[in-house]
Amino acid sequence: TELLDCVVAIVVWTICLPVIARETDPILIPALGIGVVGVATGFQCIDTGFDMLIIWERSLNLGDGLVIPGRQAAWMYYNTMLNSRAVNFGIEVFLVVSVCGSLVGLQRNAHNVSIPLKGRLSSSIFV
């Protein structure tokens, strides 16, 4: 599993390369950001649904008289999803692209920044 985790990390950082490359057209970066934010929003909506099951102490009706308490349904969801490689991959892509995209945006627009960070952002830290 450690090898698979390393492969996932390499793939995620490779996906991030267009965000940090100087040759990337600035119009492409918001397009990448929209996809990343869309995935994150989807995760948030699903999590919110299970959070409401817990907070409101509701049950999940699966039909045919099968009812699962909300806390148990949420535990099964979180236990399954948080151990999923695909979900962890999506979260890692979101985090890496968000952090690198923010730093690149700050660096490429350092001339517009009139706060003390301006001197710190002038050196090139990306490709």
Side-chain angles (χ1 to χ4, degrees):
T1 62
E2 288 181 21
L3 177 63
L4 192 55
D5 290 339
C6 287
V7 170
V8 167
I10 289 168
V11 169
V12 167
W13 283 98
T14 303
I15 288 171
C16 188
L17 287 177
V19 173
I20 63 175
R22 288 193 183 277
E23 298 81 23
T24 301
D25 185 2
I27 294 173
L28 179 64
I29 293 175
L32 291 171
I34 288 171
V36 169
V37 170
V39 169
T41 302
F43 283 144
Q44 291 280 328
C45 289
I46 293 169
D47 286 349
T48 301
F50 282 99
D51 291 343
M52 288 188 300
L53 276 177
I54 294 170
I55 292 169
W56 294 339
E57 297 181 2
R58 301 288 173 117
S59 296
L60 189 63
N61 187 353
L62 300 177
D64 294 333
L66 184 58
V67 177
I68 297 177
R71 290 180 189 266
Q72 183 180 359
W75 182 87
M76 290 187 308
Y77 165 75
Y78 288 121
N79 191 41
T80 302
M81 295 308 288
L82 295 179
N83 291 322
S84 166
R85 296 258 186 248
V87 171
N88 289 333
F89 174 78
I91 292 170
E92 192 171 349
V93 167
F94 170 73
L95 292 173
V96 170
V97 171
S98 296
V99 169
C100 289
S102 299
L103 290 174
V104 167
L106 276 173
Q107 182 190 18
R108 292 184 185 168
N109 292 305
H111 61 279
N112 293 332
V113 178
S114 62
I115 56 176
L117 286 176
K118 185 174 182 179
R120 295 182 197 158
L121 296 174
S122 62
S123 63
S124 177
I125 57 173
F126 293 107
V127 178

